[in-house]
Amino acid sequence: ILTSIVSLLIAMPIGVLSAMRQDTWVDYLFRTVSIAGLAMPTFWTGTLIILALVILFNWMPPLGAAGLFEDPQTNLQQLVWPSVALGYYLSAIVSRMVRSQMLEVLREDYIRTARAKGLRERVVVYRHALKNAILPVVTIVGIQLTILLGGAVIIETVFVLPGMGANLVDAIFHRDYTMVQAVLLLFAVIVLVSNLLLDIMYGWLNPRIRYQ
């Protein structure tokens, strides 16, 4: 959940600003950042984050897992950096989709009409354009859930987090086939439930879908 939030917080502003500043240095900079996020694997990004924290700030994030209700501050410190590593990778794809959809929507007639009515640019972009461009982005976010589950297997090993991904790796090494099947079944259930929630969200974002 935290990774999805981080990826959207990174991707949405980058995609919108890239579309609004098309073919300017801002657009080129954000597109370069997105391509870099796609090019670097999550374990490499996680390693760079740990090195940067140690070398630049002389601080090592606590490893392991603290209880959310027992020690919420330590729990957040342990989860935020793995979420940033995974979220940066996922945001690269989402930001490019947001940019593409925004460029398409900003050329529509109703956007031109909204501007002609004298609405502020912020209202035109966020209330009219972004709302209509968000539906394909939601689809991409749902598809990326499978990538997120696969990336968690690696990133939990890098940050020594005893999650389902690390449990799956440990079960594979020990040939515990029952545990492997159980974790994979749980992953499958998570993907199915998430796709169901996405279908419900489609109807909320676009009321026309409810009547089809």
Side-chain angles (χ1 to χ4, degrees):
I1 294 175
L2 187 57
T3 297
S4 300
I5 294 174
V6 169
S7 65
L8 291 176
L9 289 177
I10 298 174
M12 298 301 290
I14 287 179
V16 172
L17 291 175
S18 295
M20 294 177 61
R21 302 290 187 268
Q22 184 183 11
D23 295 332
T24 63
W25 68 270
V26 176
D27 185 22
Y28 293 141
L29 175 62
F30 285 150
R31 288 164 65 182
T32 302
V33 172
S34 299
I35 294 174
L38 287 174
M40 292 190 298
T42 54
F43 68 88
W44 176 246
T45 306
T47 305
L48 290 179
I49 290 175
I50 293 176
L51 289 176
L53 293 174
V54 173
I55 296 176
L56 297 180
F57 302 100
N58 196 24
W59 180 74
M60 179 68 181
L63 302 178
L68 175 61
F69 300 102
E70 298 173 359
D71 192 353
Q73 181 178 357
T74 303
N75 180 268
L76 180 61
Q77 292 176 354
Q78 292 169 338
L79 294 181
V80 65
W81 299 113
S83 300
V84 169
L86 278 174
Y88 176 50
Y89 177 79
L90 297 181
S91 68
I93 304 174
V94 177
S95 64
R96 293 174 67 85
M97 177 58 69
V98 172
R99 178 183 181 274
S100 175
Q101 292 299 315
M102 284 293 295
L103 288 176
E104 181 177 346
V105 171
L106 287 174
R107 298 188 180 98
E108 296 291 338
D109 293 336
Y110 65 87
I111 297 297
R112 189 181 301 110
T113 302
R115 286 171 172 165
K117 290 168 58 178
L119 296 178
R120 292 182 298 177
E121 186 68 15
R122 179 178 299 178
V123 175
V124 173
V125 171
Y126 290 100
R127 183 174 298 179
H128 296 279
L130 184 59
K131 184 177 180 180
N132 289 279
I134 200 67
L135 195 60
V137 178
V138 172
T139 305
I140 294 296
V141 172
I143 296 174
Q144 282 188 329
L145 180 63
T146 56
I147 303 176
L148 174 61
L149 293 176
V153 174
I154 305 300
I155 207 68
E156 287 177 3
T157 305
V158 174
F159 286 90
V160 198
L161 291 174
M164 290 188 297
N167 194 12
L168 177 61
V169 173
D170 185 67
I172 293 174
F173 283 149
H174 290 86
R175 298 186 180 182
D176 188 350
Y177 300 117
T178 304
M179 179 62 71
V180 172
Q181 291 176 338
V183 174
L184 292 180
L185 177 62
L186 184 57
F187 281 178
V189 171
I190 292 175
V191 172
L192 291 175
V193 172
S194 300
N195 287 332
L196 175 61
L197 295 177
L198 285 176
D199 290 338
I200 296 174
M201 190 178 296
Y202 289 158
W204 178 67
L205 293 174
N206 189 353
R208 292 176 297 179
I209 299 179
R210 304 174 190 171
Y211 305 105
Q212 295 180 358

